[in-house]
Amino acid sequence: MIIDCHGHYTTTPPGVGRWRDAQTAAVTADPAHVGAKGEMAVTDDEIRQSLEGAQLRLQRERGSDLTIFSPRASWMGHHVGNEHTSRFWTEHQNELIRRVCDLYPANFAPVCQLPQSPGAPIDGSVAELERCVNEMGFIGANVNPDPTGGFWTGAPLWDRYWWPLWEKLCELDVPAMIHVSAACNEQFHTTGSHYLGADTTAVMQVLTSGFTRDFPNLRFIIPHGGGAVPYHWGRFRGMALDNNWDFDEAVSHLWFDTCVYHQAGIDLLVRVVPTSQILFGSEMVGAVRGVDPETGHYFDDTKRYIDAAALTDAQRQAIFTDNVQRVFPRLQVPREQP
Ligand SMILES: [Zn+2]
């Protein structure tokens, strides 16, 4: 059983974008706009069509069985509008993911986005997490460490601001993937620098603060192969020794996915990071959609790199299956076949 811990619904039917465009236009015209949740016009057939030729086909072709699936990350857009904007949009996006998982229970398991908004209290996110997990069977959440979209003016992850969310994640026994959304600061390219910078930043915030000691059950997935972290593992360990930061304690709360799109990067990842902290992920269909002319294979066909890496069968089994099940205890495996 091969479980991909990192997939987004990037191929949504046109009704999703239309709803969001109308909402964005309204809140751009009036920044205090509240509006209403309303209806998002998307049929089950449109959902099937949007997945059959994309994520489902790629699962079959590449040999993965199940994708842990969340709303399109770059569209979370927590910086857009106000708290109400984020809430209505998030509820629709999460309900759409639930529909996908109801249509294809064997292929997808649901992870939610949260209605974060710059300056807004975290309570709304806690409430949506609770709704998604308790009422809709979600197994995890994506948490945006920078809802400003690249300006980083909010509270760092160790700040008390976040603690009600960390408490709720622990209480519900679900992990969070630390995942930013689109950058609206032109200094950053969304998937090139903002994503990888945020991954690295999150790890440093955990390491320097040690706040995870107060949350023994808190589990963070650091996507995109952990940003710069595996490559600079020695730098982080060295800084930890110089400053009395507990490196091993920090790492025990962190899992790194395999969304590194070349063999040498995966070879480094699996050599440096303990196998117990690596989760198979591809982020397909996502940031890099083309074929590598050097190999003739899709860059984001990450299973291929794990298959070719210097790993024992037991290590491969841990990365493909066992670790994901430990990190997502609410994930039911085997899946019910449709
Ligand atoms: Zn992602």
Side-chain angles (χ1 to χ4, degrees):
M1 176 110 198
I2 293 177
I3 307 170
D4 184 340
C5 78
H6 190 172
H8 300 292
Y9 196 5
T10 49
T11 54
T12 46
V16 177
R18 272 201 300 269
W19 188 97
R20 179 63 162 172
D21 287 346
Q23 188 199 37
T24 305
V27 80
T28 302
D30 170 16
H33 174 78
V34 174
K37 186 174 170 184
E39 297 289 319
M40 193 178 262
V42 176
T43 67
D44 284 355
D45 275 346
E46 286 178 317
I47 294 176
R48 287 192 194 94
Q49 263 175 25
S50 71
L51 294 165
E52 290 286 355
Q55 289 86 349
L56 286 167
R57 177 175 60 81
L58 293 173
Q59 279 184 351
R60 279 193 300 273
E61 288 178 3
R62 299 178 183 181
S64 67
D65 298 295
L66 169 67
T67 302
I68 294 178
F69 207 51
S70 60
R72 184 175 194 168
S74 63
W75 278 18
M76 293 191 296
H78 295 116
H79 60 276
V80 175
N82 54 55
E83 198 179 348
H84 310 284
T85 317
S86 197
R87 179 184 161 192
F88 294 139
W89 168 237
T90 295
E91 288 180 7
H92 274 304
Q93 286 292 74
N94 290 337
E95 286 159 22
L96 193 61
I97 291 294
R98 183 64 262 172
R99 287 174 67 190
V100 167
C101 296
D102 286 341
L103 288 170
Y104 299 100
N107 300 90
F108 298 106
V111 159
C112 59
Q113 71 177 54
L114 297 175
Q116 298 176 247
S117 187
I122 201 70
D123 314 32
S125 294
V126 174
E128 178 65 2
L129 175 65
E130 204 158 27
R131 180 180 86 106
C132 287
V133 174
N134 285 340
E135 296 173 28
M136 299 200 291
F138 280 57
I139 63 167
N142 291 338
V143 171
N144 184 348
D146 172 33
T148 67
F151 291 94
W152 294 95
T153 51
L157 297 176
W158 44 260
D159 192 274
R160 293 266 167 181
Y161 168 83
W162 295 96
W163 285 35
L165 184 57
W166 306 153
E167 284 164 5
K168 189 54 72 177
L169 287 164
C170 292
E171 180 197 315
L172 297 170
D173 203 12
V174 294
M177 180 176 277
I178 304 296
H179 202 312
V180 285
S181 187
C184 59
N185 178 342
E186 66 180 4
Q187 299 277 6
F188 298 115
H189 180 274
T190 292
T191 53
S193 52
H194 188 42
Y195 278 21
L196 301 188
D199 304 337
T200 311
T201 300
V203 171
M204 278 311 285
Q205 291 182 0
V206 170
L207 178 60
T208 58
S209 65
F211 82 91
T212 45
R213 278 195 293 264
D214 287 304
F215 302 97
N217 196 30
L218 190 59
R219 302 185 295 283
F220 286 154
I221 298 153
I222 310 297
H224 322 111
V229 174
Y231 194 62
H232 289 279
W233 201 252
R235 169 181 288 257
F236 296 117
R237 278 183 51 236
M239 282 191 290
L241 281 171
D242 287 347
N243 293 284
N244 284 318
W245 301 328
D246 192 339
F247 186 80
D248 292 340
E249 201 283 333
V251 169
S252 75
H253 292 272
L254 306 175
W255 281 264
F256 300 85
D257 77 10
T258 62
C259 298
V260 180
Y261 296 153
H262 65 146
Q263 187 67 47
I266 290 290
D267 290 345
L268 180 138
L269 176 79
V270 302
R271 185 165 169 202
V272 169
V273 175
T275 303
S276 61
Q277 309 307 117
I278 301 175
L279 307 179
F280 173 64
S282 72
E283 200 174 29
M284 64 90 173
V285 181
V288 180
R289 301 188 182 194
V291 169
D292 184 344
E294 289 182 9
T295 65
H297 300 294
Y298 283 96
F299 282 102
D300 66 358
D301 185 357
T302 55
K303 177 174 174 294
R304 209 171 262 286
Y305 310 131
I306 305 297
D307 285 338
L311 293 164
T312 64
D313 288 348
Q315 285 177 311
R316 215 168 265 116
Q317 160 89 15
I319 292 170
F320 278 140
T321 316
D322 300 346
N323 294 346
V324 187
Q325 289 185 261
R326 269 195 305 123
V327 174
F328 290 90
R330 286 176 180 260
L331 177 65
Q332 286 170 1
V333 175
R335 312 290 291 173
E336 166 203 334
Q337 292 301 316

